[in-house]
Amino acid sequence: MDQDALVTERVEAGKRFLAQLSAVGFPIAVAFWARPSDEQWFLYLASPVVDEKGGHEAYRDLTLHERRFDNVGLDPFEVRLVSPSDTMAVAAAKLIEPKPWQPKPSPFMTRFDGSRLGGIDVEGVLVYPALASTVPGA
């Protein structure tokens, strides 16, 4: 088995982290695990805070919350905070948009088996269910 496989424990840790971020009001537009080619798995969090405050300040805000969540089981270095307009974030959000045959967002995670997400070569992608409720005004 691939030692760098995305395992259930990491997916569940991400789910717990997202729930805790939501509870403290840190807005997330879309969240997904992705493994860019020749890299490890990363948890991507697309947040409007990146656009509002800039990447450095957004990471600082996120880090303040991370310190409270030592129990979730995530390594802070496997989290990438990006703008909702990031090409990978846009593509991930489209994967979980309601479809004509499924007008409500799916409550399940969405696996993407393609080789490119938002123009980036990837070896795997797993998108958490819609998190629009964590974005104020959404």
Side-chain angles (χ1 to χ4, degrees), residues 13-29:
K15 196 180 295 184
R16 288 189 302 271
F17 188 56
L18 291 170
Q20 291 181 356
L21 287 176
S22 178
V24 297
F26 192 90
I28 302 294

Side-chain angles (χ1 to χ4, degrees), residues 87-112:
T87 59
M88 286 179 68
V90 169
K94 286 182 181 180
L95 291 172
I96 60 171
E97 283 180 346
K99 312 288 189 274
W101 60 90
Q102 182 183 342
K104 292 185 179 181
S106 172
F108 304 107
M109 297 194 73
T110 301
R111 183 173 303 281
F112 175 68

